[in-house]
Amino acid sequence: MTRKKPLRVVAVSSGKGGVGKTNVVVGLALSFARTGKKVLIIDADLGLANIDILFNVRPEFNISDVINGEVSIKDILVSLHENVFLIPAGSGISDLTRLSDAQKLSLLNEFDSIDGDFDYVLVDTGAGISDNVLYFNLGADDCIIVTTTEPTAITDAYALMKVMSLEHGYRYFKLVVNMVKSEKDAKRVYFSLSQAASKFLGSAVIEYLGYLPHDSKISESVIKRVPYISSNPDSEFTKSMTKITGVLSRSVPKNTDSGNLKLFMSRVAVKNKNNI
């Protein structure tokens, strides 16, 4: 029997939309791929799923087709780049909240069939504190919160951590500060959130993963539907993303008893069943 590769599931979230969360997911995926790691992206941003747009692909199926038994999970996998694949979840994510026990078992077996094929799973959740955002974060091995230096983005990032910490006992967060002028600005945001967490969120811990500089060419890449890192491999943004990838890979995951995709989806299903 072939031993499956250890798997790390990383959820990427934000308290507020428009902070560049999906670009962070794409950047992490391509950076990991450059090191030879095989990455699966689950686009779980309900109603605003757009990983496919950034790679200029048009998936024929999504996870709802798997739930309905029309296709297998392998049929909906989309190759985005060498070593980077996508499960288009999109509107199908809402179906996960209404699965029967038989459907859950079937879906878990589908995920088990691709377990061992990947080194990392990156879950691009929606923004805010909806149930969908919470249960993917609570089931993942790591939770990355993306924010900018804008006061509204910082406040909403704290609100997300507050709900996860005080209402669900989640303790470990990883922080990426995007669109900054300098790392000094990013560190200021990190210290502000860390102080607030220390004072009001009990034992919650925020780990600083790094910062990403503002770059006007990112918007141009989105319009062209070409991942920024692919066309700007030597930019400061790409270098910062590479550093973040390195820090993440060396950090200790929250769920040390994880290591497979089926277990992650089981956690998500349990959170749903218990209405978190």
Side-chain angles (χ1 to χ4, degrees):
M1 182 176 178
T2 303
R3 184 180 180 184
K4 293 179 178 179
K5 290 190 291 186
L7 178 73
R8 190 163 180 175
V9 181
V10 182
V12 183
S13 297
S14 63
K16 175 181 178 297
V19 300
K21 170 177 58 63
T22 298
N23 273 318
V24 171
V25 173
V26 171
L28 288 173
L30 294 176
S31 293
F32 277 129
R34 284 181 172 181
T35 65
K37 300 298 183 183
K38 199 169 179 180
V39 182
L40 175 66
I41 300 174
I42 298 178
D43 194 344
D45 193 349
L46 177 62
L48 296 171
N50 51 22
I51 290 284
D52 53 336
I53 295 173
L54 294 181
F55 280 91
N56 197 24
V57 297
R58 295 182 180 180
E60 184 177 358
F61 303 106
N62 64 40
I63 202 166
S64 62
D65 299 302
V66 179
I67 294 170
N68 294 333
E70 297 171 1
V71 296
S72 74
I73 195 95
K74 291 183 178 179
D75 291 328
I76 70 170
L77 281 178
V78 179
S79 177
L80 300 174
H81 187 275
E82 184 179 2
N83 284 337
V84 180
F85 295 81
L86 169 69
I87 287 182
S91 58
I93 283 297
S94 62
D95 295 337
L96 290 175
T97 64
R98 301 188 294 269
L99 295 182
S100 65
D101 288 342
Q103 286 175 315
K104 286 177 184 174
L105 180 60
S106 175
L107 186 62
L108 290 177
N109 287 332
E110 287 288 342
F111 274 99
D112 195 37
S113 71
I114 59 171
D115 210 355
D117 293 341
F118 300 96
D119 298 290
Y120 286 90
V121 172
L122 303 178
V123 185
D124 184 14
T125 79
I129 55 174
S130 70
D131 286 352
N132 279 318
V133 174
L134 295 177
Y135 67 64
F136 277 108
N137 274 299
L138 295 171
D141 300 319
D142 299 281
C143 168
I144 296 178
I145 305 293
V146 180
T147 185
T148 66
T149 57
E150 291 182 8
T152 52
I154 298 170
T155 300
D156 290 349
Y158 176 76
L160 174 57
M161 289 187 275
K162 180 180 178 182
V163 171
M164 291 180 63
S165 177
L166 297 185
E167 296 185 16
H168 305 289
Y170 193 97
R171 293 184 55 204
Y172 301 101
F173 302 92
K174 291 179 167 62
L175 185 73
V176 171
V177 187
N178 194 17
M179 305 180 195
V180 302
K181 293 180 180 178
S182 68
E183 184 165 26
K184 185 178 180 180
D185 292 337
K187 289 288 185 68
R188 188 179 299 120
V189 172
Y190 166 67
F191 286 126
S192 173
L193 285 170
S194 291
Q195 286 181 340
S198 177
K199 188 173 182 180
F200 299 110
L201 302 185
S203 56
V205 176
I206 303 175
E207 179 182 354
Y208 177 73
L209 278 187
Y211 75 99
L212 294 164
H214 174 76
D215 189 330
S216 60
K217 290 183 178 179
I218 292 176
S219 297
E220 297 174 14
S221 295
V222 173
I223 293 172
K224 295 177 180 176
R225 300 189 177 193
V226 176
Y228 172 86
I229 285 181
S230 297
S231 53
N232 298 274
D234 300 319
S235 69
E236 290 303 314
F237 181 95
T238 301
K239 292 176 182 175
S240 292
M241 184 62 76
T242 302
K243 289 181 181 178
I244 289 171
T245 305
V247 174
L248 176 61
S249 65
R250 293 189 296 272
S251 67
V252 178
K254 176 204 64 165
N255 287 322
T256 54
D257 61 338
S258 184
N260 71 72
L261 188 52
K262 184 176 181 180
L263 180 57
F264 163 66
M265 292 306 298
S266 297
R267 290 196 187 109
V268 172
V270 168
K271 303 295 182 188
N272 269 321
K273 188 174 183 179
N274 296 334
N275 293 320
I276 52 176

